[in-house]
Amino acid sequence: MSSSDRQRVERVPGARRAKLTPAPDTSAEPVPADESMDAAAEASRTDQGPNDERLRRDVPPHY
């Protein structure tokens, strides 16, 4: 891998932190979630045990 293919640290004038250049072959655009993952999450919600509702209602004490 050559040095031009890597991310570089760039100084930002007036800022306390530096920033990285974008990684090669990446995009800043968000990628939508897979529908298969949504279906798996939905299926796991329907499988409820006897204490699930109680665990959702219980909250820790506040001091």
Side-chain angles (χ1 to χ4, degrees):
M1 184 187 306
S2 69
S3 63
S4 64
D5 292 345
R6 299 187 58 171
Q7 287 180 296
R8 293 183 320 278
V9 177
E10 294 181 343
R11 289 182 177 233
V12 179
R16 296 181 77 185
R17 294 182 182 225
K19 69 175 190 172
L20 287 173
T21 58
D25 300 325
T26 60
S27 171
E29 297 298 317
V31 177
D34 289 337
E35 291 153 10
S36 61
M37 291 178 67
D38 293 339
E42 192 65 34
S44 68
R45 285 191 209 135
T46 58
D47 300 335
Q48 294 183 359
N51 294 326
D52 285 350
E53 185 60 36
R54 179 179 172 210
L55 290 171
R56 286 188 187 95
R57 282 189 319 233
D58 285 348
V59 294
H62 297 284
Y63 295 99

